[in-house]
Amino acid sequence: MIRIQEILDAVSANNPNADLELIQRAYVFAAAAHAGQTRLSGEQYLSHPLAVASALVEMGFDEATIAAGLLHDTIEDTKANLEGIEENFGENVADLVDGVTKISLIPFENKEEAQAENIRKMILAMSHDVRVLMVKLADRLHNMRTLNFQKVHKQRRIAQETMDIYAPLANRLGLHSLKRDLEDLSLQYLWPDVFNQISHWLETHKVVEKQIIDKVVSLITDLLASNGIHGDVYGRIKHLYSIYKKMQSQSLALDEMHDIMAFRVLVDDIKDCYAVLGLVHSQWRPVHGRFKDYISMPKSNGYRSLHTTVIGPEGERIEIQIRTEDMHKQAEHGVAAHWVYKENGRIHSRDLEQFSWLREIFERQSEEADSREFMRSLKMDLFKDEVYIYTPAGDIKELPEGAMPLDFAYLIHTQVGQHCAGAKVNGRLVPLHTELKNGDCVEIITDSARNPNRDWLKLVKTAKARNRIQHYLRTEERTHAIALGREMLEKEGRKVSLNVGKALKDGHLALVAHDLNYENVDELVAAVGYAGVTPRRVLNRLYAVLHPEEVAATVAPPSVAKDGGQRKSEGVTVSGVNDVLMRFAKCCNPVPGDAIVGYISRGMGISVHRNDCPNVANMETERILSVHWSNGEQKPYEAGIFIIAKNEHGVLAAVTQILAKNKVNITELTLETRVDGRANLHFTVEVGNSTQLYELIEAIRVLPFILEVVRDSEGVD
Ligand code: MN
């Protein structure tokens, strides 16, 4: 059993100003709390917290963490409580003990791969302070080291959990040697035969392997030196579990395993990485298919390095990793850990800060006079931008911060989202705009009669939910368009005695669809509904199909809109619809920048009105479409300006001068003098957008003899 004095000595060796008294008191408290308890090994229970604390000292942690290590099992296993710990040791230590206790309460029943990943994240999310994880990992390490005293089935369960949850956590935190220890210990209990076989083999081959390693290191070092490349070369035997994994992935027996040595070359820059690769490959024959360029194609966690395997000087396969110092620091110190590099490969500076904090613990711990202050100022919030939500069955789902019940519903299943009628959070009904919080348990109430509507788009945060809702709305819009198109065709058809229903059934309309370049008859009918093609045009074609012999004589070609005053509506698009006949309504003459709506006018395509056009109020709402200005090239739009001025000499000249100065074309101009000594001027001008139009109006307004200037169509009498 480790003695407290050894711990105190090690702490003060690390940091002469350390608060030894705090550790001493924690020890006394833990000793009293665990008094009389023994471990399965027969040792005093206190030996366990002492071992945990000692591991934390070795990793260079501060007094609060070490005290927490001593106290970590007191809440769960003894009569002590959190209040007591806070009273005696302060909030700082109490938080750490509380965090460790909470982690041990996370349910681990479900061992599926994905679930293990979630639990890992859950643990990270719950650890507002990374020191909590360190205590937990030190705890697990000692439990693994003393696992032989447990019953066999418990050994397996704990070893599996360590393999699934804690070794990857250590890996993420960049604690590679801890990760290797946990993996090897787990392997020992999960597959004892394999473990014994490999360790025995390694034992008998140790001396030979060591000689090979030294030889290869010096060969590569010479190779670098003779080519003027500055770099360092390292070699080692891989750890047991990674050898086991290699045996598995390559289906090899131990004696066939020749790449159990790993070499690493660290150089100054990327150029040198490739130079070293070339040198190594020219010296030793590379093994085909084993070269990996993670520099030009980094792993998703951001890991960068060159990997290659060559046939070495002894005919051994040797694996070599080549990277820069920076890449190595990232890989070893865990900056490559998941949360630093998001999927898109972007580094979040906040995340990097978090990680540099972790690194600094190890690098600066001994230099810090007041390490407690230092630690306190560097608390971290891992995964701040994600929340973890429980299903009623206890599964954990991950959502972005700000997610709402519909996001959760769509995450469970598209159908659950589609028919979501309400949600309960922690057993209580909540509105759909409720933001979910970490640890919420969410239950979705479904109703097969409920379907998505446009408002739902405001109630989701995730791309998945948004896409599904939009897809539903588009499908629904199309269904409407088909129904509308069919209604329009039948109605117009009756006027000219064409039975559209029959033509549909007989396949004649399908021929028309083909004639008019629509993929199928539904596309054609939908196009009528969207006003992409006029019913008249379709019916003309249908008539031609039904009466091919008469077509030339009796049927007029598709009619073109006769109203030449209407402009073609280039620059406006209707969402989801291409190639639609659109016109700007004459009543309000919209220009880019105006808020606009589209109106499906029967047989006349879509007319585009300004939102505030008085005619919009009288329209059938089913026929109103949302349309928007597309960002294509700017073409001039016609707009009207109406001016009332004093009828004085020079009025017209002054106004046209302003228009000319702004390089605005006048396409139409009328001037009428009134009996009251005033004049009405009406200009039709070409402008790029509404902003330009209103700027012109403002410029005209300030002219001396102007009484009133408005955009035309605003109803000045
Ligand atoms: Mn423990």
Side-chain angles (χ1 to χ4, degrees), residues 321-565:
Q321 302 173 343
I322 306 162
R323 50 176 88 144
T324 66
E325 292 279 356
D326 275 353
M327 295 174 194
H328 182 61
K329 250 188 204 162
Q330 287 179 12
E332 278 300 295
H333 292 288
V335 177
H338 177 81
W339 67 84
V340 176
Y341 285 85
K342 301 288 178 183
E343 275 74 14
N344 58 15
R346 228 154 30 99
I347 303 174
H348 291 229
S349 60
R350 194 198 71 227
D351 294 332
L352 264 183
E353 276 164 32
Q354 288 180 346
F355 226 91
S356 62
W357 174 79
L358 183 62
R359 193 162 56 225
E360 278 166 13
I361 294 172
F362 301 102
E363 289 174 357
R364 296 214 318 216
Q365 184 66 39
S366 48
E367 302 163 18
E368 283 292 324
D370 188 355
S371 63
R372 269 170 55 176
E373 262 321 300
F374 170 66
M375 299 298 287
R376 203 174 332 206
S377 67
L378 289 166
K379 281 209 169 188
M380 65 192 284
D381 244 339
L382 290 167
F383 282 110
K384 208 176 181 178
D385 47 1
E386 286 165 20
V387 292
Y388 295 87
I389 307 299
Y390 283 102
T391 68
D395 290 339
I396 298 165
K397 301 284 177 191
E398 176 191 342
L399 283 166
E401 194 178 59
M404 289 175 273
L406 279 171
D407 291 303
F408 179 77
Y410 276 99
L411 186 63
I412 300 290
H413 195 277
T414 301
Q415 287 307 312
V416 175
Q418 222 76 297
H419 301 302
C420 175
K424 281 184 182 173
V425 170
N426 304 323
R428 295 233 307 270
L429 268 172
V430 297
L432 288 180
H433 59 75
T434 307
E435 278 193 16
L436 301 178
K437 291 191 300 297
N438 220 359
D440 276 349
C441 176
V442 181
E443 185 183 345
I444 298 297
I445 299 154
T446 58
D447 175 350
S448 58
R450 291 294 282 270
N451 287 306
N453 59 58
R454 205 156 278 283
D455 289 342
W456 280 21
L457 292 171
K458 293 182 208 123
L459 300 174
V460 294
K461 175 97 179 174
T462 57
K464 176 176 177 167
R466 180 176 308 279
N467 289 340
R468 293 295 150 92
I469 294 169
Q470 271 167 346
H471 180 256
Y472 175 88
L473 293 174
R474 269 200 303 274
T475 313
E476 196 194 34
E477 216 168 68
R478 199 180 124 84
T479 311
H480 279 162
I482 290 176
L484 178 65
R486 182 160 174 173
E487 183 197 322
M488 287 161 73
L489 283 172
E490 284 175 348
K491 197 170 167 194
E492 290 295 311
R494 278 196 290 279
K495 289 185 194 162
V496 293
S497 306
L498 282 173
N499 187 336
V500 172
K502 186 168 182 296
L504 252 173
K505 232 185 281 167
D506 296 346
H508 290 125
L509 211 55
L511 294 175
V512 173
H514 180 260
D515 273 2
L516 295 176
N517 285 326
Y518 287 93
E519 210 155 288
N520 54 47
V521 74
D522 273 357
E523 291 295 321
L524 173 68
V525 178
V528 175
Y530 284 129
V533 59
T534 61
R536 173 57 62 89
R537 180 146 191 240
V538 175
L539 293 172
N540 283 350
R541 281 290 171 161
L542 178 60
Y543 190 85
V545 166
L546 294 172
H547 309 281
E549 68 291 348
E550 296 173 32
V551 68
T554 59
V555 178
S559 52
V560 177
K562 288 191 188 78
D563 188 349

Side-chain angles (χ1 to χ4, degrees), residues 48 72-73 139 143:
H48 169 64
H72 81 271
D73 273 333
D139 175 39
N143 285 336

Side-chain angles (χ1 to χ4, degrees), residues 39 45 48-49 52 69 72-73 76-77 100 135-136 138-140 142-143:
R39 302 202 93 212
Y45 193 92
H48 169 64
V52 170
H72 81 271
D73 273 333
E76 229 191 321
D77 299 343
V100 179
V135 176
K136 189 65 206 171
D139 175 39
R140 179 51 57 120
H142 186 246
N143 285 336

Side-chain angles (χ1 to χ4, degrees), residues 21-78:
E21 194 260 337
L22 178 79
I23 298 172
Q24 184 81 52
R25 279 194 294 124
Y27 168 72
V28 173
F29 188 98
H34 291 295
Q37 294 179 344
T38 50
R39 302 202 93 212
L40 292 173
S41 60
E43 275 192 296
Q44 283 181 49
Y45 193 92
L46 197 61
S47 65
H48 169 64
L50 277 168
V52 170
S54 164
L56 291 165
V57 175
E58 246 175 70
M59 290 191 268
F61 274 96
D62 66 322
E63 305 92 310
T65 314
I66 295 160
L70 288 166
L71 297 166
H72 81 271
D73 273 333
T74 54
I75 294 183
E76 229 191 321
D77 299 343
T78 78

